[in-house]
């Protein structure tokens, strides 16, 4: 199973970015898909997650600014990030839960300049 993120980059405070994550390979049932992030010197934290049925959950710090969505036919999850803040700067990782196993992507850097 391969998990590949894209869409990171450098943006100014208040700007927007859209991350994408596609899972491919021997996947028969993708259950939960989620975005995590890890800033330098900090632990990896959950940003947002979405079930196969579309139920979502968000970290308090991103509620109202970030939106997670998914395309089940493409095994792809998206993270729309608006009103970005410098504290959102981190490497963003995608995690896919498929048939009770978890798979991580390699991460994509998001940098928000002040």
């Amino acid at each position: 199973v391969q998990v590949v993120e894209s869409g990171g980059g450098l943006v100014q405070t208040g700007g927007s970015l859209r991350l994408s994550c596609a899972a491919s390979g021997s996947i028969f049932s993708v259950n939960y898909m989620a975005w995590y992030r890890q800033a330098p010197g900090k632990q990896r934290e959950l940003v947002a997650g979405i079930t196969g049925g579309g139920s979502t959950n968000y970290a308090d710090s991103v509620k109202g600014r970030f939106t997670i969505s998914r395309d089940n036919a493409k095994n792809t999850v998206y993270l729309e990030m608006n009103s970005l803040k410098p504290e959102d700067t981190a490497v963003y990782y995608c995690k896919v839960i498929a048939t009770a196993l978890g798979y991580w992507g390699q991460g994509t850097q998001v940098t928000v300049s002040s």
Side-chain angles (χ1 to χ4, degrees):
V1 175
Q2 296 80 42
V3 178
V4 180
E5 304 101 334
S6 61
L10 174 65
V11 65
Q12 291 185 333
T13 296
S16 299
L17 282 174
R18 188 187 194 217
L19 305 183
S20 299
C21 168
S24 61
S26 300
I27 297 178
F28 298 100
S29 178
V30 176
N31 305 115
Y32 188 69
M33 304 181 82
W35 288 96
Y36 287 73
R37 66 186 180 187
Q38 187 167 19
K42 294 188 177 182
Q43 290 187 330
R44 191 173 297 189
E45 62 175 358
L46 175 67
V47 176
I50 185 167
T51 66
S55 297
T56 60
N57 60 291
Y58 295 92
D60 287 343
S61 59
V62 306
K63 284 180 180 178
R65 300 188 297 121
F66 291 11
T67 302
I68 190 170
S69 61
R70 64 187 281 176
D71 184 331
N72 290 332
K74 297 181 180 180
N75 286 330
T76 299
V77 63
Y78 306 96
L79 187 67
E80 187 75 34
M81 304 186 294
N82 298 313
S83 302
L84 283 162
K85 306 174 181 179
E87 51 264 45
D88 294 317
T89 294
V91 178
Y92 283 69
Y93 297 91
C94 177
K95 184 176 183 180
V96 174
I97 305 295
T99 56
L101 297 176
Y103 303 92
W104 289 94
Q106 81 289 348
T108 184
Q109 177 70 46
V110 172
T111 303
V112 184
S113 63
S114 57

